[in-house]
Every structure is written in C-alpha cells, then in structure tokens.
Amino acid sequence: MGIGRPRTFDRDTALDQAMEVFWRHGYEGATIAQLTDAMGINPPSLYAAFGSKEALLKAALDRYTLRREAWMEEVLGAPTAREVTARMLMGVAEKQTDPSNPPGCLLVQGGLACGSGSSNVPFELAARRAQTEEQLRHRFERAKDEGDLAPSADPAALARYVSAVITGMSVMASSGADREALTQVAVVAIKAIEDQSVRAPVPAN
Amino acid sequence: MGIGRPRTFDRDTALDQAMEVFWRHGYEGATIAQLTDAMGINPPSLYAAFGSKEALLKAALDRYTLRREAWMEEVLGAPTAREVTARMLMGVAEKQTDPSNPPGCLLVQGGLACGSGSSNVPFELAARRAQTEEQLRHRFERAKDEGDLAPSADPAALARYVSAVITGMSVMASSGADREALTQVAVVAIKAIEDQSVRAPVPAN
DNA sequence: CCAGATTTGTAGTGCTCGCTACAAATGTGG
DNA sequence: CCACATTTGTAGCGAGCACTACAAATCTGG
C-alpha cells in the first residue's frame, strides 16, 4: 500500500492567492477559473484540497484573521480608548490602501451583493466583522472601568461606531479613495471618541 | 398606419419593483428572472422598455436619486453644519431600517462585489455616492463662511467623514443591524462635527 | 373591417458558472 | 518491479445566466 503521488503546490501559498482573488472580486464575483489561475492549480486539485468554493473562502478568511491577529493585539494594547481608536483607524487607513494588497477589507468587499440564495456567505462575513466590534467593545468597557472613558460613555455604541467607520472606509478604499482621503476620515472620526474621554491623562489642557 | 398594441404595465411602477430587487440583491446578484417576476412582465418587455440590465439599473438609480431629492434639500436646509449632520445621519438610520424598503442604501448594496469585468457599474455607483459627498462639502463650506464651523475645519474632510459613516451604516443595515444600533452610531458620529462647530449659537455653555 | 405598428408570451440562443468523471502520472511499501 | 494510494490534467457535465427570434395578440388610422 503506497502513500500516493505528492501534491505539487503549497496549501498556504495557494490560499494566499485565493484570498487575493476573493478580496478583489468578492465571493460571487470570483470565478473558479480566476481562482485556479491565481493558485496555479487545476479545479480537481482545488476541490480535493479545499472541498468547495465556499469552504475555500472560509479557509481564506481564517488565514486573513490570522494575519491580522498580531496587529489587533498591538492596537488593543494601546493605553487609552482614544489611542486604541487612533491606532485602529490610522492603521486601517494605511492597510486598506497598501498596494501590496487589494484595496479595502476582505470582510466587507467579499460579501456584499451576494444573492440571497442558499449561500450563507454574507452572514458569515458579518459575523466575522462583529468579532472585531466585540473586541473593541471589551476594550472600551475596560477603558470605562479604568476611568479612561467618561462614566456616561456607552462602550457598545462606541465600538459600533468605530466598526461602522472602518466599514465605510473600506468601501471608500475599494472605490479608489487614496490614503490621504482615508486618513482625513480617520482623523475626524477620532474626535468623536476624544469627546467622551476623560481628559485627565493629558496634563494642562 | 396604426399606433400599435398598448403597453400593459406602468413604466415607473415596474421601475420601482426593479429598484427593490437591485437594492436587495445587488446588480450582479439580481437575475433577469427575479426582475421580470417582480415587475410582472416578460423579458422582451423589459428589454423593449429599458434596453439592457445595466440600463435598467441606471434608470432605477435615477429614480432613487429623484426620490431622495426632497429629503436632501430638507437636510441641507438645516441652519448649522451640526444640524445638517444630525438630520442626515439620524435620517439615514431611519431610512435604512425602514421596513417598506430593503435595508441599507441602493448605492452601496447594489455595487460592491461586482466582478471587475467589462461592467462599469461599481464606478457608476461610486460616482453617485460622491455626489452626496459633494453636496455635503458645499454645505460645510458655506457653514465655514458663515462662521458656523471653526476656521480650522476642513469641509472636504468633514464631508468625506459623514459620507464614510453613512456608507458604514448602510453595510451594517444590510447585515441586519436594527434601527437602535444605527441610531447609536449616528449619535456618536455627530459628536465629531460638534467638536469643530463654533459654540457661539448655543448660549451659556 | 382591414393594414400597419407595437407589445406580448413562448421558447429558446450561446455562454459561463461551479463542479466532477476519468485516465494518465507519480509517489511508497513489499 | 510490482500492487496500491493519491494527485494531476483534460474534458465536459447539468444548471443558470443575459438576452432574443418569432409569431400570436391588440391597438389605431383609413
């Protein structure tokens, strides 16, 4: 009993190529032909390795989340809610216009305009976006406990707000907005959080 | 020489039905079968009346813009930049969760995740979104001239910001967010504009 | 009531989609 | 060198897509 012919491609490398196609064209906009071209393999190899187009997307999403994990921890590690928001939004402005990736965010670009057929892809993407919002909410709750945010502040609302701004920036980026435009949005958006911050840590102002 | 068999459907009514389908499923997600079903006509009638799927979308977009014209004038007629922003965002929160329409905004929901093929639909939608941003920019420039916005304020950046928040809210709405969630976002977002407003008109604060 | 003009419904067109059957190719264990 | 297991490339499956050819139906002008 043998082990079989060995695979001629690297799974993770192929997944990166697939991620880029989904990122640029969306889930329904990406065709198997585009995916196999980018991955450098043929359809049977794709289906043997990943199962289906939807399963391939989920694998790509997992990899996308993994890639951003370190950055997210750096963002959430900022000392104040204001600084968390600033790092988050300025970082998003930078990442969403990084020429080494498609513009915008995979979790937004990949899922809209999906036919409401049997596919649950839009729901899947919304759930993954909600994860980021939840992380922000927890961080803002901590900020409120630490007295960094005003007692009247609503951590859930603030997290929703930051999440909404990120999503809006993503759509702008995928429509061709440049880094300066996104940075302008980020700078204005941060002011809404400053407004609910306790100014104590900033001396003499 | 006769005039021909009369049309059995109303063009504008059919256009409203088509708009709803595009709104709910996006441009590429909407099929001709769905459109003709909703419009109550057969494909040849659709093509005779509108020319093509893309032309039908553009006609629906024109009608969408027309529908919102009166509301936009009411928003832009508010006395201050802060009030313009408040009416805009609170109105968007309400309209995007109005159960008599699909959730979100047609100009966002209709155009993302379109394959970058020969179709210029995403570009068309981005241009229409930019129109709203431009209207806001002009209004904020006026506000600055009138001393309502601080001299340091950047009307273009503020308009971009409000436009980004609206877009983010639209994606949230189409992912199932309810009116309360959108209102929370709007309330926080407005604070960023207040921050750059001259407080003079608000006495004793 | 007939001739010309237009719309209507039926029934497709060619094309592309996600996906797969199949056999040749390439590996390992004995 | 031979079974056996797995992958590879080719070639094509049924389904659904945007779109249309065609003839019957329905109007007006004379």
Side-chain angles (χ1 to χ4, degrees):
Chain A
M1 46 178 172
I3 294 295
R5 176 172 175 173
R7 173 175 285 164
T8 62
F9 64 96
D10 180 67
R11 194 179 188 275
D12 284 343
T13 304
L15 208 44
D16 282 336
Q17 318 287 357
M19 186 198 303
E20 167 145 349
V21 175
F22 281 131
W23 200 335
R24 198 175 296 279
H25 302 288
Y27 175 67
E28 296 206 332
T31 69
I32 298 292
Q34 286 174 326
L35 289 164
T36 53
D37 275 7
M39 299 164 89
I41 62 178
N42 292 311
S45 299
L46 188 157
Y47 282 88
F50 299 101
S52 70
K53 186 184 176 185
E54 187 168 337
L56 175 62
L57 174 72
K58 286 186 182 173
L61 291 177
D62 286 340
R63 199 163 165 77
Y64 185 77
T65 302
L66 197 67
R67 271 199 196 173
R68 302 229 153 171
E69 221 162 42
W71 177 71
M72 271 301 287
E73 285 184 11
E74 183 196 324
V75 166
L76 296 175
T80 65
R82 188 225 172 264
E83 189 62 26
V84 167
T85 305
R87 282 192 200 176
M88 186 85 190
L89 295 181
M90 297 303 277
V92 163
E94 185 184 340
K95 287 180 177 298
Q96 290 187 346
T97 55
D98 183 344
S100 63
N101 283 327
C105 168
L106 173 61
L107 303 187
V108 175
Q109 185 67 2
L112 289 181
C114 276
S116 64
S118 53
S119 167
N120 55 350
V121 168
F123 179 77
E124 171 82 19
L125 291 177
R128 301 212 182 219
R129 268 179 267 131
Q131 281 182 8
T132 301
E133 183 182 315
E134 190 119 325
Q135 286 178 289
L136 281 172
R137 197 195 81 212
H138 282 127
R139 182 62 186 81
F140 287 157
E141 281 169 353
R142 204 188 90 195
K144 193 173 169 182
D145 288 344
E146 292 172 346
D148 163 37
L149 275 177
S152 62
D154 180 348
L158 294 180
R160 254 200 270 265
Y161 163 77
V162 173
S163 183
V165 172
I166 291 171
T167 304
M169 288 169 69
S170 170
V171 176
M172 284 178 57
S174 64
S175 302
D178 61 12
R179 182 167 297 181
E180 191 190 343
L182 293 193
T183 304
Q184 281 182 340
V185 170
V187 167
V188 176
I190 293 164
K191 293 188 192 298
I193 304 291
E194 274 173 355
D195 206 62
Q196 316 211 10
S197 295
V198 173
R199 319 274 180 162
V202 181
N205 190 11
Chain B
M1 46 180 169
I3 294 295
R5 177 172 175 173
R7 173 175 287 163
T8 62
F9 64 95
D10 180 67
R11 193 179 188 274
D12 284 342
T13 303
L15 208 43
D16 282 336
Q17 318 286 358
M19 184 197 306
E20 168 147 347
V21 175
F22 282 131
W23 200 335
R24 199 174 297 278
H25 302 288
Y27 175 67
E28 298 205 332
T31 69
I32 297 293
Q34 286 174 327
L35 289 165
T36 52
D37 275 7
M39 299 165 87
I41 61 178
N42 292 310
S45 299
L46 189 157
Y47 283 89
F50 300 101
S52 71
K53 186 183 176 185
E54 187 168 338
L56 175 63
L57 173 72
K58 286 186 183 175
L61 291 176
D62 287 340
R63 197 162 167 77
Y64 186 77
T65 303
L66 197 67
R67 270 200 197 173
R68 302 228 154 172
E69 219 161 44
W71 177 71
M72 272 299 288
E73 284 182 12
E74 183 194 324
V75 165
L76 296 175
T80 66
R82 190 226 170 264
E83 189 61 27
V84 167
T85 305
R87 283 192 198 174
M88 186 87 190
L89 294 181
M90 298 302 278
V92 163
E94 185 185 340
K95 286 178 177 297
Q96 289 186 348
T97 55
D98 182 345
S100 62
N101 284 327
C105 167
L106 174 61
L107 304 186
V108 175
Q109 184 69 1
L112 288 182
C114 275
S116 64
S118 53
S119 167
N120 55 351
V121 168
F123 179 77
E124 171 82 17
L125 290 177
R128 300 210 183 221
R129 270 180 265 130
Q131 282 181 9
T132 301
E133 183 181 316
E134 189 119 327
Q135 287 178 288
L136 281 171
R137 198 195 81 214
H138 282 127
R139 182 63 186 83
F140 288 156
E141 281 169 353
R142 204 188 91 194
K144 192 173 168 182
D145 289 346
E146 292 172 347
D148 163 38
L149 275 177
S152 63
D154 181 346
L158 294 181
R160 255 200 271 265
Y161 163 76
V162 174
S163 183
V165 172
I166 291 171
T167 304
M169 289 169 69
S170 169
V171 175
M172 283 178 58
S174 65
S175 301
D178 61 11
R179 182 167 297 181
E180 190 189 345
L182 294 193
T183 303
Q184 281 182 340
V185 171
V187 167
V188 177
I190 293 164
K191 294 190 190 298
I193 304 291
E194 275 174 353
D195 206 62
Q196 316 212 9
S197 294
V198 173
R199 320 272 179 160
V202 182
N205 190 13

